[in-house]
Amino acid sequence: MMRKALAGFAAVALMAGTAWVAAPPFADAQGGGTVEVEVKYSGAADVQTLKVNKDTEQCGKEAKVENIVVGGNKGLANAVASIAGAKGQPTGKKAAIDQKGCKFVPHVIATTPGEVDILNSDGILHNIHTYSTANPSINKAQPKFKKTMTEKFEKPEFIKVTCDVHSWMLGWIAVMPHPYFGVTNESGVAKIENAPAGKQTVEVWHEKLGKVTKDVEVKPGATTKVTVEMVKK
Amino acid sequence: MARTSAGRATRRAHLLRCLLGPLPAAYSEYAAVGPSSAPRIWTLLVALFRARVGLHALGVSLIIGVVFAPSEGSAQAGDANAGKAVYERKCAMCHGVKGDGKGAGAELLDPKPRDFTSGVYKIRTTANKTPSDQDLFRIITAGMPGTSMPPWDVLPEKERWNLVAYIKTFAADKFKEAPKKLELPKEVSSSEASIKRGKEMYEAIECHKCHGNLGRADGPSRPELKDDWGHPIAPANLTKRWTFRGGASRTEIATRIANGVLGTPMPSFIDSVEKPEDVWHLTNYILSLGPESPAYATLVTVNGTTDAIPDDPNAEFWKKAAPNTIPLMGQVIVDPRNFNPIIDLVIVRGAYNDKEIAFHLTWDDPSQTTAEGRADAPGAAKKIAADAIALQFPSKIVPGTERPYFLMGDATDSVYLLRWEGGKAGEVSASGPTKLKTLEGGEVVSKTVYENGQYRVVIKRPLAGKGEERPTFQPSTFVPVAFQAWDGGAGETGTRMSLTSWYYLRLEPPQSNRRFVVPPVVALLTLVAMLLVVRAASRGRGR
Ligand SMILES: [Cu+2]
């Protein structure tokens, strides 16, 4: 009896151990590192302002179309940095994008294949209209009483999301084939955590500026900084 | 069953449009001469016209009393190779030989012809993107009301199935996924309570954002709407269900609400209503917004009265006056033409007393524009003009059948226009569409109401016309009348207009019990004119 219990305990411990080793997984096991990608853009920012003719209580009187957002020190926001050609399991985290102030917030989300929560904080009608080729395109109404809709995006792809009610609303869902990615903040910096060590290629995607790559040597357990310059094509 | 009656309604609408709308005459002139400036466009139009002439012929047989009901049958496996030949003969002109929607005529059309290579189809009864064969067959057979896609029920059923098979080959990979039938919630029949719930839902899910408060397609998002290819697209006018692209039956409407219209801003609502059966309540509400068919008039009756005629368009007087619904079509005879007219009908009411004659006009226009323009909406068309409408009469009303050229007269016979523009009415003498002369010193008054995407205008003038260029209206006579309309918000101005050919106005004496005997005669004359058009077109075909 005691023996049995002990064996059971050992089994559980072993499983737990294995799980513990495998969990933060792909990286630490092989000694992954952090890549801090700074994306720069020397061109002019491109943010258009439109007059709003409806829902001004939620949307405000002016809407901004954020085509190219450049922060201090020429940092380019809303770019997705990732390790090109890497392989890895989905993060298991459900990503979310909100519709707030008649804007998609954040403007760009990145996630691994799976479900995404689409929130409607505005409490007015929006419609989620996606433009995709790998995944089925969707166009679903999200009326005021529908606070959350959950949609599945199974294939890696950069998906444009719009709302036809508010034509200026534009967001992106980046479905990534592996968990080594980050989205640049307002100063143009993205962090890729637990990136596989060794010679890698960092790929940066921006909705208006396309893709740029740069080679990097990822050091295990350390942060490697890399600066990537994007230009208007 | 619902399908068949919807089909019949559509056909009836087309038929009436073709029979009563004056355009056949215009098109036949076209067929005889053809504009030298744009030969390619010309070829296309003649072809489209021919397609429609087929319809006219059907219409004529319908009038004579042959009831036409298409056999729809169950899905058949078509032969793509055989379909190719038909496609290249009948469809390629607009949809392109490669099926990419870039045929010679595509440029002129709005909405644009379907790009079959995309595999995206607006009208589906399926829950996924893949339409069923039956869905494709239905559109080929019934056409798409309100677009340039005519019904092809003139083709043998087998050929239509062959076409289905062939157009699928343009996006073979998109058809790998089998169509999945959309299951609608259990049907709720119409009742006062259901319509009320539908109205609540209409407001709760904000259908008005695009379709407008009363369904007249005047919602605030209207000017911003684009389809998946970036072309501007208009929301449906829910009060005119005979123009619904995917049919006007209960099931068809419920399916559109549940499923959305793929490739357009119309989203799917099946997961976005409070309860699934709300789809049916919404359907019942939409059906309550307008008549099944427009019931076009063949003649405009103007009733005599001994009372004063109010100039307020919302006066009780006008609500009691009999409406005459007149269809309008795009002006395509002289450049610049209007291939995609916005104003498709006007409802005319008339009255006269011993001093004056008045016309009450009602028409839908999604955007109110005056000469000064309008508040700029995001994505709104920049080129705008003032909204306008005109009643046209011969400058001199003479007995007999001679009338000036319907397109604003010519050098020999001028016309007189009672023309309202951007809120003000005036008088114009015209001897051609670009030869206009404003008549000064008239006594025309008008009053305008614009509400929820609809104009209601009263235009009044004395019965007696001053001078040579103004006609005098006399009780108990027939007066030729034609109509022209412009949606300035859509950039319509000058010859870019909607119009009719000549109709007749009948000035009915006050309290007369003598009903008219003449309408059947007029109808017969119209029929004869139609037959001539059909004959002219067949001759054209032989060329
Ligand atoms: Cu929105």
Side-chain angles (χ1 to χ4, degrees), chain B residues 201-220:
Chain B
M201 240 332 93
Y202 186 90
E203 281 153 19
I205 63 177
E206 297 179 65
C207 304
H208 63 84
K209 277 286 161 59
C210 300
H211 296 286
N213 290 332
L214 297 179
R216 297 201 190 107
D218 60 320

Side-chain angles (χ1 to χ4, degrees), chain B residues 311-323:
Chain B
D311 47 13
D312 174 13
N314 286 344
E316 205 53 38
F317 178 91
W318 290 114
K319 282 176 195 149
K320 285 189 207 139

Side-chain angles (χ1 to χ4, degrees), chain B residues 257-271:
Chain B
I257 297 169
N259 227 356
V261 180
L262 207 62
T264 80
M266 174 66 187
S268 133
F269 276 93
I270 189 74
D271 298 328

Side-chain angles (χ1 to χ4, degrees), chain A residues 99 125-127 163 165-166 169:
Chain A
Q99 296 163 97
L125 172 75
H126 291 294
N127 67 311
C163 168
V165 183
H166 312 99
M169 288 177 68

Side-chain angles (χ1 to χ4, degrees), chain A residues 88-179:
Chain A
Q89 293 305 302
T91 57
K93 270 188 267 171
K94 207 199 244 180
I97 187 163
D98 193 5
Q99 296 163 97
K100 201 174 174 184
C102 306
K103 269 177 75 172
F104 287 103
V105 182
H107 183 72
V108 177
I109 60 163
T111 179
T112 47
E115 290 185 331
V116 173
D117 277 340
I118 296 159
L119 314 178
N120 181 359
S121 295
D122 282 335
I124 49 170
L125 172 75
H126 291 294
N127 67 311
I128 290 292
H129 193 155
T130 67
Y131 291 75
S132 35
T133 48
N135 296 278
S137 295
I138 52 173
N139 182 6
K140 285 189 176 179
Q142 190 167 14
K144 57 185 172 197
F145 50 81
K146 193 105 185 163
K147 294 290 172 213
T148 306
M149 288 202 313
T150 305
E151 293 298 327
K152 242 185 194 163
F153 301 96
E154 316 246 34
K155 307 253 169 63
E157 183 183 5
F158 294 98
I159 301 170
K160 183 167 99 172
V161 187
T162 65
C163 168
D164 297 286
V165 183
H166 312 99
S167 59
W168 60 86
M169 288 177 68
L170 173 65
W172 290 86
I173 298 176
V175 184
M176 308 301 290
H178 54 70

Side-chain angles (χ1 to χ4, degrees), chain B residues 202-497:
Chain B
Y202 186 90
E203 281 153 19
I205 63 177
E206 297 179 65
C207 304
H208 63 84
K209 277 286 161 59
C210 300
H211 296 286
N213 290 332
L214 297 179
R216 297 201 190 107
D218 60 320
S221 291
R222 175 197 167 94
E224 302 164 44
L225 301 179
K226 298 228 161 76
D227 69 11
D228 282 10
W229 291 266
H231 306 304
I233 188 168
N237 183 328
L238 302 179
T239 66
K240 295 177 178 175
R241 59 187 199 259
W242 58 90
T243 66
F244 288 2
R245 309 290 190 257
S249 75
R250 288 171 58 75
T251 313
E252 284 163 333
I253 294 169
T255 306
R256 293 300 86 74
I257 297 169
N259 227 356
V261 180
L262 207 62
T264 80
M266 174 66 187
S268 133
F269 276 93
I270 189 74
D271 298 328
S272 309
V273 279
E274 279 177 358
K275 295 180 200 139
E277 62 265 30
D278 285 329
V279 165
W280 286 107
H281 297 312
L282 279 162
T283 302
N284 292 332
Y285 176 60
I286 288 166
L287 289 170
S288 78
L289 291 174
E292 186 190 341
S293 60
Y296 293 128
T298 48
L299 178 93
V300 179
T301 307
V302 178
N303 285 307
T305 176
T306 47
D307 301 333
I309 302 168
D311 47 13
D312 174 13
N314 286 344
E316 205 53 38
F317 178 91
W318 290 114
K319 282 176 195 149
K320 285 189 207 139
N324 303 276
T325 305
I326 306 292
L328 281 85
M329 294 182 94
Q331 188 288 116
V332 291
I333 295 165
V334 296
D335 278 325
R337 294 152 217 254
N338 189 8
F339 292 103
N340 310 293
I342 308 294
I343 301 164
D344 57 357
L345 65 81
V346 55
I347 300 170
V348 185
R349 291 172 170 88
Y352 74 94
N353 56 22
D354 54 348
K355 285 193 241 25
E356 51 189 9
I357 184 164
F359 298 96
H360 179 284
L361 306 173
T362 304
W363 74 101
D364 289 358
D365 180 330
S367 55
Q368 185 182 21
T369 46
T370 59
E372 290 83 49
R374 64 169 169 195
D376 206 2
K382 288 285 177 275
K383 262 190 254 154
I384 56 165
D387 294 326
I389 200 156
L391 293 105
Q392 169 180 301
F393 305 95
S395 297
K396 195 177 276 162
I397 298 161
V398 290
T401 49
E402 287 277 308
R403 296 165 305 188
Y405 185 43
F406 80 95
L407 184 54
M408 296 193 180
D410 56 23
T412 13
D413 290 300
S414 65
V415 295
Y416 162 84
L417 302 169
L418 260 183
R419 188 182 151 93
W420 171 98
E421 189 175 322
K424 237 185 124 208
E427 294 167 296
V428 173
S429 175
S431 47
T434 54
K435 297 201 169 67
L436 307 178
K437 188 179 86 188
T438 304
L439 300 178
E440 306 291 349
E443 294 164 61
V444 177
V445 291
S446 73
K447 209 158 179 184
T448 305
V449 170
Y450 181 83
E451 257 170 8
N452 288 311
Q454 186 173 73
Y455 275 112
R456 288 188 288 278
V457 172
V458 170
I459 307 172
K460 273 207 286 199
R461 57 147 266 191
L463 273 183
K466 243 200 289 173
E468 286 288 288
E469 287 157 316
R470 293 182 178 92
T472 292
F473 294 95
Q474 264 160 11
S476 309
T477 56
F478 279 116
V479 178
V481 63
F483 303 89
Q484 294 128 15
W486 293 260
D487 175 4
E492 292 181 354
T493 181
T495 58
R496 290 201 57 218
M497 62 177 142

